[in-house]
Amino acid sequence: MRRRRGLRERGAGDRMSAEQIEIQIIASLVAVTCAIPGVFLVLRRMAMMSDAISHAILLGIVLAFFAVGDISSPLLIIGAALSGVLTVSLVELLNRTKLVKEDASIGLVFPLLFSIGVILISKYAYNIHLDVHAVLLGEIAFAPFDRLVISGFDLGPKSMYVMGGILILNLVFILLFYKELKVATFDAGLAAALGFTPGLLHYGLMGIVSVTAVGAFDAVGSILVVALMIAPPAAAYLLTDRLPRMIILSALIGILSAICGFWAAILLDANIAGSMASVSGLIFLVVFLLAPERGLAAIARRKTRQKREFAGRMLAIHLLNHEGTPEEARESEVGHIEETLRWKEGFAKSVVGYSVKRGDVLVENGRLRLTEKGREFAGRSVVEEFIA
Amino acid sequence: MNREEAIKVEDLTVAYGEKPVLWDVDLTVPSGVLMAIIGPNGAGKTTLIKAVLNLVNTAAGRVLIYGEPYSKQRRIVGYVPQRGSVDWDFPTSVKDVVMMGRYGALGWIRRPGKKEADMALAALEKVGMSRFAERQISQLSGGQQQRVFLARALVQDAQVYLMDEPFQGVDATTERAIVTLLQELRAAGKTVVVVHHDLQTVPEYFDWTALLNVRLIASGPVSEVFTEENLRLTYGGRVSFLRHGERNGAPEDEKRTGERGF
């Protein structure tokens, strides 16, 4: 707490402090590292698996800690990765009995492993840094104070190297097995028939997710790992229809969330990890609403347009049907269109306006009349309907 | 090893839990035939194809492809799964999906390059879809999706093709195009096995057939085994309306198979 305030005071000056820059670098590394496996989790409809893994790894960390007695040992990462894979296997085992559905299996397995981890900490590791609060939320603000010093040289924060290493691991995994992951995600049957063992790839990916979660959880905690794994890829999915672009966009959105989140935390004097996750959620919300083709607004606009186009066609057919009949005068009266076609007044007005603008319909002495173009359009529409 | 036997299924039993889906099936598919697997829903047609591809666990029996187990013959087997089995909203292009057919030949890690892209474009040309190469796959109609899957199987450049309902939900034009393509494959000496639903078109499209209903009822040349008796054994009581339909189409169908010399 004291240290975070300290950060803010220094932030008030006109130069970013070294700590601030380092925190932003670490946060960006975390975000990109999470976004890469996140893309495949989202595409494989396994987003909840990230939640399960990020919790269950606690047990692996605790057990590995008991085994080696050192909180900063790299063996903790291996322990975490193993418990992540254990989670996935247990979920699959339960699922395969067909007595429990997949989402319920996830909901049964990870709380069990997580709670064993929590009990072990509270019982045997109460006095060390491994407390539950830090596990859930992490504290990236402290990251710059744990430094890598080799023979007297300060090489920067340790977690920068840890995250950088995991990022490289993820990049290598994705670059090597990009084609295999793609085909196994799109068409698992074909992948298996071609000999790419989708099961092995699945566990590989889950291993990567586990390692990423354990690396990131020191910085942002186990809950926010989920936000950084899922929100940026989910937003990127709405923005592009190519997988490589989706991966790059996810990484960029992750970085944006990290940096904006950091400054939001400074401004609000709030938890940095929480701010980062909130910003990633906000970015998703904006994309969800405003994405050019797949956003809610674009879909609503498209629907309205289709509805109006269809209504314009109905209006033209209606006018054509009554052309030259005794009721023509009544049926084509401007004020009566909404009544005869049972349209709401505002909608009828907008349809008439649309048809006039298109040049299908003219307004003469308070009556609607088809133009030559409108007559042809209506005739063609009738024929099309008839064929369909 | 008999070179003439493209696929040999021996005593194959597949069960999901207690329920047998395929029950002691013995089936030989000679090299170079265009074969329809027909049978009612739940007869195990898809399971049979998946068993050949080693995608399901078998309770008993084995499958040989040109005398060897599938694991040794992957490269010469092309697979067209049911269209509905994949996520068509996946962020990728038509060309990319077709290139997946080359992944088997590339093996692990190696990436597809210009050669694979050219093969994909040539296959798309063949199925009349080259205009759609760069299109996002979610924008395709059902028939177009099916053509893309077919193109993907074509680039596999296989000896044996296994196709699960390639005519499902396609329009008449696409169906004709697909049939022509399948017959070209047979003419090129390939063996093509198709899960098929429309009994009316069996004699017109195929020269070989297997009638399946958990057990294998019959298999052989269409002119010999596609009989009322076998259909009744396969479909049980439901065959009555089929017989009615068959009578209408029979003379022409017989003439056609006759012309092919069966």
Side-chain angles (χ1 to χ4, degrees):
Chain A
M1 214 48 188
R2 190 166 37 81
R3 273 166 175 163
R4 210 188 302 133
R5 289 205 190 286
L7 276 179
R8 190 182 186 194
E9 278 150 27
R10 264 171 279 176
D14 38 16
R15 275 185 58 229
M16 266 193 266
S17 73
E19 282 90 3
Q20 287 180 334
I21 293 173
E22 281 168 0
I23 289 173
Q24 289 177 76
I25 291 174
I26 295 167
S28 301
L29 284 172
V30 170
V32 175
T33 312
C34 286
I36 291 173
V39 166
F40 289 94
L41 288 178
V42 166
L43 289 176
R44 295 164 82 94
R45 295 155 202 240
M46 292 174 48
M48 286 320 290
M49 211 49 131
S50 65
D51 196 14
I53 288 177
S54 65
H55 280 82
I57 54 173
L58 178 68
L59 179 62
I61 293 174
V62 175
L63 290 178
F65 170 70
F66 287 156
V68 296
D70 174 9
I71 192 74
S72 58
S73 162
L75 281 177
L76 265 56
I77 291 186
I78 295 169
L82 287 179
S83 62
V85 170
L86 176 73
T87 315
V88 178
S89 343
L90 286 178
V91 167
E92 249 161 48
L93 209 66
L94 261 184
N95 203 20
R96 216 172 290 156
T97 61
K98 301 231 164 98
L99 299 173
V100 187
K101 299 252 183 283
E102 184 167 16
D103 54 343
S105 312
I106 294 177
L108 285 165
V109 169
F110 86 79
L112 174 75
L113 300 182
F114 182 65
S115 52
I116 295 174
V118 171
I119 290 173
L120 287 176
I121 291 180
S122 60
K123 197 116 178 70
Y124 302 109
Y126 197 72
N127 290 325
I128 44 164
H129 162 69
L130 207 63
D131 67 291
V132 175
H133 178 77
V135 165
L136 289 178
L137 291 175
E139 191 41 281
I140 201 169
F142 296 158
F145 301 104
D146 185 11
R147 304 193 77 81
L148 183 69
V149 180
I150 294 177
S151 57
F153 285 103
D154 179 0
L155 296 174
K158 255 187 200 162
S159 53
M160 206 160 85
Y161 289 94
V162 173
M163 273 333 284
I166 298 175
L167 174 60
I168 290 171
L169 178 75
N170 285 3
L171 282 174
V172 168
F173 180 75
I174 297 295
L175 287 174
L176 280 183
F177 301 115
Y178 175 75
K179 132 177 150 278
E180 289 79 3
L181 281 167
K182 186 168 71 175
V183 67
T185 304
F186 173 63
D187 189 345
L190 180 77
L194 293 176
F196 289 123
T197 49
L200 201 67
L201 287 165
H202 176 67
Y203 278 99
L205 182 64
M206 291 305 129
I208 289 289
V209 170
S210 306
V211 171
T212 304
V214 68
F217 117 143
D218 219 20
V220 295
S222 64
I223 299 178
L224 302 178
V225 170
V226 180
L228 291 178
M229 275 195 188
I230 305 305
Y237 179 74
L238 296 175
L239 288 172
T240 176
D241 50 22
R242 292 292 185 276
L243 185 52
R245 268 180 245 159
M246 182 174 164
I247 296 172
I248 291 166
L249 263 177
S250 301
L252 292 177
I253 292 172
I255 293 173
L256 192 68
S257 312
I259 291 175
C260 294
F262 173 78
W263 288 107
I266 298 277
L267 272 173
L268 302 169
D269 191 17
N271 176 282
I272 295 173
S275 306
M276 280 165 56
S278 304
V279 171
S280 74
L282 276 176
I283 292 177
F284 173 77
L285 185 67
V286 170
V287 170
F288 177 70
L289 293 174
L290 302 177
E293 267 170 52
R294 280 174 238 171
L296 272 191
I299 291 171
R301 228 178 299 134
R302 204 155 47 229
K303 272 202 184 132
T304 315
R305 200 178 55 227
Q306 279 165 356
K307 202 169 150 200
R308 207 178 44 198
E309 271 171 19
F310 184 70
R313 188 180 284 224
M314 278 199 294
L315 177 66
I317 292 174
H318 172 76
L319 292 174
L320 182 73
N321 279 345
H322 292 284
E323 246 179 14
T325 63
E327 313 91 54
E328 183 179 4
R330 218 190 99 71
E331 294 288 342
S332 62
E333 218 168 298
V334 172
H336 277 275
I337 285 296
E338 54 262 39
E339 198 183 303
T340 52
L341 293 177
R342 299 279 180 273
W343 284 347
K344 288 209 177 78
E345 200 183 323
F347 181 65
K349 265 202 187 109
S350 93
V351 173
V352 169
Y354 166 75
S355 294
V356 169
K357 212 170 105 191
R358 267 178 57 108
D360 292 336
V361 169
L362 285 175
V363 185
E364 270 178 6
N365 312 324
R367 297 225 152 73
L368 297 174
R369 194 168 64 76
L370 280 174
T371 62
E372 201 45 52
K373 178 168 170 289
R375 204 165 292 125
E376 196 212 326
F377 172 62
R380 206 171 51 233
S381 300
V382 172
V383 172
E384 274 168 21
E385 285 308 294
F386 189 70
I387 290 170
Chain B
M1 190 176 78
N2 187 347
R3 270 280 143 200
E4 288 311 296
E5 285 172 1
I7 303 173
K8 190 161 177 56
V9 177
E10 292 174 350
D11 305 315
L12 181 73
T13 296
V14 178
Y16 293 142
E18 294 272 282
K19 194 169 163 264
V21 188
L22 290 174
W23 200 230
D24 199 37
V25 170
D26 282 289
L27 171 67
T28 303
V29 183
S31 192
V33 298
L34 176 47
M35 181 174 104
I37 301 178
I38 55 176
N41 289 331
K45 304 183 293 288
T46 295
T47 306
L48 178 59
I49 281 198
K50 286 191 170 167
V52 174
L53 291 160
N54 211 1
L55 294 179
V56 289
N57 291 323
T58 55
R62 63 171 183 171
V63 179
L64 297 176
I65 291 159
Y66 284 110
E68 300 273 354
Y70 175 72
S71 54
K72 288 194 179 164
Q73 302 283 42
R74 283 183 210 286
R75 299 288 164 269
I76 65 161
V77 181
Y79 174 39
V80 179
Q82 277 184 29
R83 186 159 54 82
S85 66
V86 304
D87 171 17
W88 289 96
D89 285 327
F90 192 83
T92 193
S93 69
V94 166
K95 188 173 82 183
D96 222 36
V97 169
V98 177
M99 280 204 284
M100 287 179 188
R102 292 308 300 164
Y103 285 10
L106 286 167
W108 285 87
I109 295 173
R110 255 173 67 204
R111 293 287 194 90
K114 172 118 178 42
K115 182 180 154 223
E116 283 72 27
D118 289 343
M119 289 175 86
L121 289 175
L124 281 170
E125 179 85 52
K126 241 187 187 154
V127 298
M129 289 284 292
S130 37
R131 278 191 304 130
F132 295 86
E134 299 302 328
R135 200 69 76 83
Q136 148 76 2
I137 54 172
S138 64
Q139 297 168 9
L140 303 178
S141 71
Q144 290 168 339
Q145 291 175 351
Q146 201 65 63
R147 286 171 191 237
V148 170
F149 262 16
L150 226 59
R152 189 177 71 176
L154 288 180
V155 299
Q156 281 186 265
D157 196 21
Q159 291 299 311
V160 178
Y161 286 94
L162 300 167
M163 306 189 179
D164 202 346
E165 299 196 30
F167 300 112
Q168 197 254 319
V170 307
D171 56 78
T173 328
T174 303
E175 181 157 334
R176 287 254 41 113
I178 294 176
V179 171
T180 309
L181 205 74
L182 298 189
Q183 288 170 347
E184 279 172 22
L185 284 173
R186 178 187 51 194
K190 318 279 188 184
T191 309
V192 185
V193 176
V194 176
V195 171
H196 193 55
H197 256 303
D198 181 12
L199 293 178
Q200 311 291 331
T201 52
V202 169
E204 185 190 344
Y205 293 171
F206 300 94
D207 58 20
W208 209 267
T209 187
L211 292 89
L212 189 73
N213 191 351
V214 184
R215 294 157 189 271
L216 184 74
I217 308 296
S219 77
V222 171
S223 55
E224 285 172 23
V225 301
F226 193 70
T227 60
E228 268 189 49
E229 172 65 12
N230 281 337
L231 284 170
R232 195 168 46 246
L233 284 169
T234 312
Y235 286 84
R238 273 167 291 176
V239 84
S240 56
F241 84 95
L242 294 164
R243 221 183 301 160
H244 179 71
E246 265 223 294
R247 204 178 294 138
N248 297 336
E252 199 201 346
D253 291 342
E254 269 162 25
K255 205 173 76 208
R256 276 168 176 276
T257 42
E259 277 167 4
R260 280 189 207 137
F262 286 113

